[in-house]
Amino acid sequence: MDSRNANARNILIVHGPNLNLLGTREPEIYGGVTLQDINRNLSGLTENTSAKLDFFQSNAESALIERVQQAMSDGTDFIIINPAAYTHSSIALRDALAAVKIPFIEVHLSNIYSRESFRQHSYFSDLAIGVISGLGAKGYELALEYALASH
């Protein structure tokens, strides 16, 4: 990241269910990158900035909701979220994102719109500033670049 985007930013990166299995789970769909690789890369991209990244992954819907709600009072300026399977099922997580009123980008490693029909609907896209789908781990980088530049 360019240090010109070094505005103090607190960015929450939320990873949904099964993303802890990246690298071994269906690599033909999700690639060989691990969640730790993604987080390490994002941290590296902010080394010369004053941005603070907070990473959170859970397989439990309630834990994801609680973490999003916590963002309302912990200084979070922006959220990057990969809701994973909850994209297609969690009205409760959608309601939490709507309630906190923190801008967010929805990220998906695979192109959800070219997959099974049940994966082609998102409960989050209409609330999100943007959606990045199908670019693999690069999608997280692009979301972070936007989050750092938008202040």
Side-chain angles (χ1 to χ4, degrees):
M1 290 288 130
D2 189 312
S3 61
R4 287 176 287 158
N5 294 334
N7 299 325
R9 301 287 293 181
N10 294 317
I11 301 168
L12 173 62
I13 317 285
V14 178
H15 304 288
N18 298 311
L19 292 173
N20 57 305
L21 300 177
L22 287 176
T24 58
R25 176 187 176 220
E26 300 174 278
E28 68 281 3
I29 295 174
Y30 301 107
V33 67
T34 68
L35 188 61
Q36 293 76 19
D37 294 335
I38 290 170
N39 290 346
R40 190 177 316 110
N41 182 49
L42 294 176
S43 292
L45 293 172
T46 60
E47 279 181 356
N48 296 320
T49 74
S50 58
K52 177 185 170 285
L53 302 183
D54 184 17
F55 299 99
F56 184 80
Q57 189 278 327
S58 181
N59 295 319
E61 184 180 33
S62 61
L64 295 166
I65 291 166
E66 288 172 6
R67 183 60 191 96
V68 167
Q69 289 178 358
Q70 180 186 335
M72 214 166 43
S73 61
D74 71 3
T76 296
D77 299 305
F78 203 95
I79 298 172
I80 296 169
I81 184 168
N82 182 341
Y86 289 133
T87 302
H88 325 291
S89 64
S90 183
I91 295 169
L93 186 54
R94 172 201 166 83
D95 288 349
L97 285 162
V100 300
K101 295 184 173 103
I102 297 170
F104 72 93
I105 293 177
E106 176 183 350
V107 174
H108 300 283
L109 295 165
S110 68
N111 182 353
I112 64 173
Y113 303 104
S114 68
R115 296 191 57 196
E116 305 94 335
S117 60
F118 68 87
R119 293 190 196 275
Q120 295 177 15
H121 177 265
S122 168
Y123 279 106
F124 306 94
S125 296
D126 64 316
L127 296 177
I129 286 177
V131 178
I132 302 171
S133 179
L135 300 180
K138 182 72 174 173
Y140 282 98
E141 295 174 28
L142 296 170
L144 180 58
E145 181 180 330
Y146 182 88
L148 292 171
S150 67
H151 200 282

